[in-house]
Amino acid sequence: MNKYGKVFIVGAGPGDPDLITVKALKALQQAEIILYDRLANKELLSCAPPGVVSIYCGKVPGAHAMQQEHINEALVQYAKQGKTVVRLKGGDPFVFGRGSEEAAALAEENIPFEIVPGVTSAIGAAAASGIPLTHRGSAASFACITGSRCHNARSPIRWDLLAHSVDTLAIYMGVSQLPFIREELMKHGKSPSTPAALIENGTTARQRTIVTTLDDMHNSATISRLDNPALIIIGEVVNVRAQLQYAACRAAASLIS
Ligand code: SAH
């Protein structure tokens, strides 16, 4: 019998610390080591017991504070020392989160681990902006897409299919690719007047929601100096926001303190 610890690969939710799950909170409360990402709300670290060791593994677009292989290796090593480790990641760990690569590294070493899902940012940011991803009559499907693989020739994103076969497009990591995404979707027949929303810092007190159109989304982003992290939502559902007259009313005080 080995004395390995356990690794919890935990979704921290989309930004608002109150959107973490009870299960994730319980994992944090028993953590001895936390390895956390840039997009995981730092306030959550205060839920861990005193004496916990917190290690920042943040990734700024284009630059990595800690290489993925080093993160995998650190998870393995701490677990081999018998520690209870929480790998805290923004949103959901299995949605563009590389949580599955970390899980694979642990599985290979026979280290016990558990995946704790989180509210992914498309779901969180859309809800906090009053935009339903599906809506009876206008959207029966949605897709989560990465914008960061736009120019990957070996496995390109099928914008030709996405333009026609999915009602709502939720695009992660797409801010720097807005001109390309706009062009691809319009080239493949998506109407330039399709409503679009750009949601920056979704679910946080700094959330900004910019409502625009497919045709104008790049201009709108430039004018409003859209910054990361931001999500792009494209589809008729964006119009529902006005229908709901949604004024995001998030309590300033966090439930978790
Ligand atoms: N695992 C995460 C996604 C990581 S990829 C999840 O499930 O949400 C990083 C991208 O997520 C960012 O580039 C941005 O597109 C999106 N994102 C994360 N947090 C966000 C937030 N609070 N508001 C808007 N977009 C966010």
Side-chain angles (χ1 to χ4, degrees):
M1 267 279 285
N2 60 47
K3 296 246 177 53
Y4 288 173
K6 182 170 177 180
V7 179
F8 293 88
I9 301 178
V10 172
D16 176 351
D18 288 352
L19 290 175
I20 196 164
T21 65
V22 174
K23 191 161 193 172
L25 200 53
K26 286 180 179 168
L28 275 174
Q29 284 162 350
Q30 49 171 298
E32 293 173 282
I33 311 269
I34 302 176
L35 289 98
Y36 65 100
D37 273 355
R38 187 176 59 94
L39 291 175
N41 193 313
K42 316 288 169 289
E43 278 182 43
L44 291 168
L45 299 176
S46 64
C47 302
V52 70
V53 176
S54 299
I55 302 164
Y56 179 62
C57 314
K59 294 170 188 167
V60 182
H64 289 216
M66 203 165 159
Q67 295 289 340
Q68 188 63 51
E69 308 78 68
H70 295 157
I71 296 172
N72 297 355
E73 184 55 25
L75 294 174
V76 167
Q77 290 310 325
Y78 286 124
K80 284 188 171 174
Q81 291 165 21
K83 304 287 188 200
T84 301
V85 184
V86 166
R87 174 69 177 111
L88 190 65
K89 303 169 85 76
D92 180 86
F94 275 9
V95 178
F96 306 128
R98 305 190 72 169
S100 43
E101 293 170 46
E102 294 168 4
L106 296 165
E108 202 170 304
E109 300 279 343
N110 290 314
I111 289 169
F113 68 89
E114 190 173 336
I115 313 297
V116 182
V119 176
T120 190
S121 50
I123 307 275
S129 299
I131 299 169
L133 293 176
T134 67
H135 187 64
R136 218 167 128 90
S138 58
S141 59
F142 69 88
C144 292
I145 306 151
T146 171
S148 80
R149 266 211 348 222
C150 279
H151 304 287
N152 184 329
R154 262 191 286 162
S155 68
I157 297 167
R158 297 297 305 269
W159 296 106
D160 53 337
L161 301 179
L162 288 168
H164 296 285
S165 59
V166 181
D167 295 324
T168 306
L169 306 178
I171 305 167
Y172 297 61
M173 296 171 278
V175 173
S176 63
Q177 303 297 329
L178 277 165
F180 178 80
I181 295 167
R182 169 186 176 276
E183 192 187 306
E184 283 294 303
L185 289 172
M186 284 173 24
K187 183 169 87 191
H188 293 295
K190 198 143 191 95
S191 167
S193 62
T194 308
L198 311 170
I199 311 172
E200 180 187 282
N201 286 310
T203 77
T204 73
R206 289 169 294 129
Q207 174 173 300
R208 282 200 298 161
T209 303
I210 297 143
V211 173
T212 176
T213 59
L214 173 60
D215 193 20
D216 213 34
M217 66 182 187
H218 181 230
N219 280 339
S220 304
T222 308
I223 291 165
S224 56
R225 296 171 190 271
L226 184 75
D227 203 0
N228 280 307
L231 262 157
I232 306 159
I233 309 271
I234 300 170
E236 296 301 324
V237 288
V238 172
N239 286 339
V240 178
R241 176 177 157 88
Q243 218 175 305
L244 301 185
Q245 301 187 358
Y246 195 76
C249 177
R250 280 178 304 281
S254 167
L255 293 178
I256 297 166
S257 54

